[in-house]
Amino acid sequence: SFEQYFNDAISDSIEYLVHQHKDWGMDTDDWFTNRTEMEKIFQGLIPYLEKKYRGKAKEYYKNMKS
């Protein structure tokens, strides 16, 4: 369904961002220690991302289904 696709896309994007944060100069031990905290912070963006990208994602989803 679109909702599952959209939720997965947002969740995967946040997970990717958190993993990329490790490459921003943070050493591995600090990254593992702060990963959960960073995930909580970035997850705070979910309502904004859903509102901003729902229309574009729905259009993309419809085009890919047809």
Side-chain angles (χ1 to χ4, degrees), residues 5-62:
Y5 158 76
F6 190 53
N7 290 336
D8 288 347
I10 289 177
S11 296
D12 290 349
S13 297
I14 288 172
E15 185 176 333
Y16 178 78
L17 182 62
V18 168
H19 284 290
Q20 289 303 308
H21 192 269
K22 184 170 95 174
D23 296 331
W24 295 349
M26 204 179 236
D27 72 33
T28 304
D29 290 337
D30 287 342
W31 181 77
F32 282 120
T33 301
N34 295 320
R35 180 179 175 187
T36 302
E37 184 178 325
M38 287 188 309
E39 286 175 345
K40 287 179 185 177
I41 291 168
F42 286 122
Q43 285 174 346
L45 293 171
I46 289 174
Y48 169 78
L49 295 172
E50 286 178 337
K51 184 176 181 181
K52 180 159 178 74
Y53 293 108
R54 181 173 293 280
K56 290 179 184 180
K58 193 170 252 187
E59 184 178 318
Y60 176 79
Y61 183 80
K62 283 182 185 179

